[in-house]
Amino acid sequence: MLDRLRALEQEARTLLSAAATSEELERWRIRFLGRKSELSDLLRQLGSLPPEERPKVGAAANQIKSALETAFTERQRAIEAAARAAAIAAEAVDVTLPGRPVPIGALHPTTQMIRRITEIFSSLGFDIVTGPEVEWDYYNFEALNIPRGHPARDQWDTFWITPEEESERPMLLRTHTSPMQVRIMERQQPPIRVVVPGRVYRYEATDATHESVFFQFEGLAVGEGVTMADLKGTIYTFVRRMFGERRRVRFRCDFFPFVEPGVDVGVDCWVCDGAGCSFCRRSGWIEVMGAGMVHPRVLEYAGIDPKRYTGFAFGGGVERFSLLLHRIDDIRLFYANDIRFLRQFA
């Protein structure tokens, strides 16, 4: 029987070392340590042995059983440790691999253009300020020399805000950034040098060249002895930094109620160098902004003496500059949230 016990122990150890999973280990335990195992059968047969052999065989059998139980426990711990290590490895991140690219946002093309415009004027000594988008009728029209019934109001159809009480002053979504001219002059005495970028609103149908919500920038300079020459010098510098040092600038008479005289500013076409092409509609020139000398009445509305001070103002559409510079044919693209369009400016 001792030989049979030793052979059984050897077989058990061989199969135990080959067990690689918890299922295989459980089958091994049932076969060699279970109640119906061969080892248990041999222990039950001790009573049939001669009395002189029983102590020796019994001690050997108990020693083998104890050794197999210990080996089983060690093997069980090893398999569980290997399983935990495999699970950790499956969830681990290999830091030596290239990282997954993270989408990086970029400034909207309109924001980029606002920054470009304001950087140019900042270098010329202008301060950058902003103002309310919900404005009083007084600042949007009255104080800019556009009284009620003035035909110029038809150019700025807008969104009016219904007052809660009839006695309240009319309020609207501003149609241009020009109201900030009066607001700034009311709270600051000359000299004044400011540029005002911001969102404006117009009640009109949208198409390739018109939007009901868009951005403008407004410039104002007021001081003693400010002349049309100062306006032209400022515009020349701005236009050439924006569109190129070789650009020619044209001033033509135009009407704006809050300036006198008023001009529209044109730049020779940078596509054909003024020769005439489809981009400039064969004229050789592209209108880019409006400007003029601040009307004396606007100075008076703001509490500034027009006999002592003069000033000039200018303004244009932010999206229009982007349309011209990048030769974009539809202003609605700026607000369509089409990633294919926006990605070009990233």
Side-chain angles (χ1 to χ4, degrees):
M1 183 176 285
L2 284 175
D3 293 338
R4 179 58 188 148
L5 285 172
R6 293 191 182 94
L8 183 63
E9 179 186 13
Q10 183 63 38
E11 180 185 7
R13 289 185 177 278
T14 301
L15 293 178
L16 181 62
S17 62
T21 64
S22 298
E23 291 77 11
E24 293 176 354
L25 194 64
E26 179 62 15
R27 288 195 294 269
W28 182 94
R29 185 192 67 78
I30 293 172
R31 178 179 175 182
F32 293 100
L33 297 177
R35 288 181 300 172
K36 296 181 180 181
S37 65
E38 187 174 351
L39 181 59
S40 297
D41 289 341
L42 290 175
L43 289 174
R44 283 193 289 269
Q45 295 175 17
L46 288 176
S48 63
L49 294 176
E52 63 274 12
E53 293 183 10
R54 290 176 191 172
K56 183 177 180 181
V57 175
N62 288 327
Q63 184 179 6
I64 291 173
K65 183 178 180 180
S66 178
L68 291 179
E69 288 175 345
T70 301
F72 170 80
T73 301
E74 293 176 352
R75 185 60 180 166
Q76 186 180 42
R77 291 174 180 173
I79 290 176
E80 290 175 352
R84 286 195 298 270
I88 294 173
E91 297 178 359
V93 177
D94 187 350
V95 296
T96 65
L97 292 174
R100 294 185 180 92
V102 177
I104 299 176
L107 293 176
H108 190 275
T110 298
T111 304
Q112 294 182 33
M113 182 55 65
I114 290 175
R115 291 194 174 188
R116 182 171 177 179
I117 292 169
T118 54
E119 284 173 2
I120 294 174
F121 283 112
S122 291
S123 69
L124 297 177
F126 285 77
D127 295 325
I128 311 302
V129 298
T130 57
E133 295 180 14
V134 179
E135 188 57 273
W136 298 110
D137 172 85
Y138 172 78
Y139 289 107
N140 199 81
F141 292 122
E142 297 282 347
L144 291 172
N145 200 31
I146 312 175
R148 296 192 180 200
H150 195 291
R153 287 201 179 207
D154 295 339
Q155 302 176 20
W156 287 287
D157 286 342
T158 187
F159 300 93
W160 292 89
I161 297 174
T162 303
E164 294 183 358
E165 300 180 7
E166 294 184 0
S167 59
E168 290 184 348
R169 292 181 295 170
M171 183 173 282
L172 66 155
L173 300 180
R174 67 180 180 184
T175 60
H176 46 183
T177 49
S178 301
M180 281 303 294
Q181 290 186 32
V182 182
R183 286 183 174 275
I184 291 168
M185 288 188 290
E186 281 183 342
R187 66 172 183 254
Q188 178 181 340
Q189 285 296 307
I192 298 172
R193 303 286 188 277
V194 294
V195 168
V196 186
R199 185 183 287 108
V200 299
Y201 304 82
R202 302 280 175 86
Y203 180 62
E204 59 183 339
T206 60
D207 56 32
T209 57
H210 296 85
E211 260 290 0
S212 59
V213 182
F214 54 97
F215 281 81
Q216 281 188 338
F217 69 95
E218 187 86 13
L220 174 69
V222 179
E224 294 187 54
V226 176
T227 67
M228 190 74 173
D230 299 310
L231 168 63
K232 294 180 70 174
T234 302
I235 298 300
Y236 267 109
T237 301
F238 168 71
V239 166
R240 286 173 174 168
R241 289 191 186 180
M242 177 64 68
F243 298 104
E245 295 296 330
R246 296 177 57 250
R247 298 277 64 83
R248 293 178 294 157
V249 183
R250 181 185 68 181
F251 292 83
R252 294 195 303 180
C253 290
D254 203 347
F255 171 75
F256 304 99
F258 34 86
V259 293
E260 180 62 37
V263 296
D264 78 57
V265 181
V267 180
D268 63 323
C269 179
W270 49 87
V271 177
C272 63
D273 276 334
C277 65
S278 60
F279 185 66
C280 61
R281 300 181 180 179
R282 307 299 173 185
S283 68
W285 294 91
I286 299 174
E287 182 182 344
V288 294
M289 59 195 301
M293 301 300 294
V294 178
H295 199 290
R297 288 182 184 173
V298 176
L299 294 174
E300 289 177 348
Y301 274 116
I304 292 178
D305 184 1
K307 295 181 180 179
R308 179 181 178 185
Y309 297 106
T310 55
F312 63 79
F314 54 85
V318 175
E319 287 88 355
R320 176 167 175 76
F321 275 72
S322 294
L323 289 170
L324 294 173
L325 277 173
H326 302 295
R327 302 182 67 178
I328 301 168
D329 58 6
D330 196 328
I331 192 174
R332 292 170 293 188
L333 291 170
F334 289 97
Y335 301 100
N337 292 328
D338 189 330
I339 194 67
R340 296 170 300 177
F341 172 76
L342 298 176
R343 189 177 287 125
Q344 301 175 81
F345 302 90

